[in-house]
Amino acid sequence: MKKFAVIGQPIKHSLSPRIHSEFAKELGIDISYDAIEIAPKDFNSTTKQLLENGYDGLNVTLPLKELAYRLADEVSETGRETGAVNTLWKEKGKILADSTDGKGLLEDLLNNQISLKDSNLVILGAGGAALSILPSILSLHPQKVTILNRTLEKSCALVDKFKDRGVQLQAIPMKEAPEGSLTGVINTTSAEVTGEDLILNVSIFKKADWSYDLSYSKETTSFNQLAKDSGIEVCFDGLGMLVSQAAFSFKIWTGKQPPTNRVLSLIKSFL
């Protein structure tokens, strides 16, 4: 039996144990998958202990992703670009790390027939969640990406970090809107989780074809409700991304890529 776990703080709400158990059932693999709460101050010692004491892989969630990046001996190219990772495992005595968040987003967009090539996108937020998906988004060659954040300096830092990727990037204040029509608006802020109001110029929704909220809930998320109220008809939340990024982690650990459609439907009914 292979042993896996998700680590974070808090962790009780995590859907990862259910998702990975269903993947294992789908592929006929015997696994256990735990949810383990770890405080940042205990991260290094506890994580090393878990990997030394029989865990074959760990998923990492907030607020530990940057700590996991610094702990790892070897990090994937994507992980190095983002400076944060969500997947750990051990090989030949070394701790290896990767980030599957961006791949999970692209897979979910593909499953929903959304193309990013030559698109004009808005990304709300410039924190860890935005950084985790931006390299993957840029890999599909959108025409332009505009980053809006409450702190303009953080948006500008992201633009500067990826300015040589062959995509037009710009940062503007949160209450402004980019010129011209938009393809999609992607929300990476934590407003849904923290209960904060998302202060933005709702005119961006009137210019866009679709919205995507990295957060998810049983009902429509607050961000997607705002988008709908402002005229967008096509709205997605992050549940599909959650399941898809989990599937990529599962493949790293087991060598087998689980199908996601049945598991996604099951998790939706489980919320």
Side-chain angles (χ1 to χ4, degrees), residues 22-260:
E22 291 299 329
F23 286 161
K25 187 186 300 182
E26 190 94 23
L27 294 172
I29 300 173
D30 192 18
I31 74 165
S32 66
Y33 193 105
D34 304 312
I36 301 172
E37 183 159 326
I38 299 178
K41 64 181 180 65
D42 301 321
F43 175 79
N44 279 14
S45 59
T46 305
T47 302
K48 286 180 180 178
Q49 188 176 29
L50 290 172
L51 290 170
E52 288 168 1
N53 292 345
Y55 280 89
D56 297 286
L58 299 173
N59 281 133
V60 185
T61 188
L62 297 175
L64 306 176
K65 292 184 179 183
E66 291 180 3
L67 293 174
Y69 169 79
R70 293 198 289 269
L71 175 70
D73 299 305
E74 294 182 9
V75 182
S76 68
E77 181 180 352
T78 301
R80 291 195 300 272
E81 283 189 307
T82 61
V85 296
N86 70 342
T87 307
L88 295 174
W89 69 103
K90 207 165 184 180
E91 283 184 17
K92 298 178 180 177
K94 291 184 177 181
I95 297 175
L96 278 57
D98 198 356
S99 174
T100 66
D101 288 325
K103 296 175 188 175
L105 172 63
L106 297 192
E107 181 78 6
D108 192 40
L109 290 173
L110 180 63
N111 290 341
N112 286 290
Q113 289 79 53
I114 297 293
S115 172
L116 298 188
K117 184 172 174 56
D118 298 325
S119 61
N120 188 356
L121 303 174
V122 162
I123 294 179
L124 303 178
L131 184 55
S132 73
I133 64 170
L134 191 52
S136 295
I137 287 174
L138 297 179
S139 73
L140 293 190
H141 310 293
Q143 181 179 9
K144 183 179 179 181
V145 176
T146 302
I147 303 171
L148 284 71
N149 191 61
R150 286 183 301 181
T151 307
L152 184 59
E153 288 80 5
K154 289 189 72 174
S155 302
C156 291
L158 271 188
V159 169
D160 188 60
K161 182 179 177 67
F162 295 102
K163 62 185 177 183
D164 298 325
R165 295 293 292 267
V167 175
Q168 184 181 351
L169 291 169
Q170 70 170 355
I172 63 175
M174 195 67 150
K175 293 184 180 181
E176 295 186 11
E179 297 179 359
S181 60
L182 299 171
T183 310
V185 182
I186 302 173
N187 178 38
T188 74
T189 73
S190 57
E192 185 78 17
V193 177
T194 61
E196 298 176 63
D197 290 330
L198 189 58
I199 308 300
L200 75 160
N201 189 333
V202 295
S203 69
I204 63 172
F205 296 123
K206 302 184 186 304
K207 301 179 174 188
D209 298 326
W210 51 263
S211 69
Y212 193 107
D213 193 352
L214 263 62
S215 295
Y216 59 87
S217 65
K218 184 177 181 63
E219 309 300 332
T220 303
T221 66
S222 300
F223 169 77
N224 276 338
Q225 190 59 58
L226 182 61
K228 286 184 176 183
D229 292 343
S230 303
I232 288 185
E233 297 181 1
V234 181
C235 301
F236 307 99
D237 70 16
L239 192 60
M241 173 182 166
L242 176 72
V243 174
S244 290
Q245 62 83 22
F248 285 116
S249 292
F250 195 92
K251 183 180 181 182
I252 287 171
W253 296 330
T254 67
K256 295 185 178 181
Q257 179 82 32
T260 57

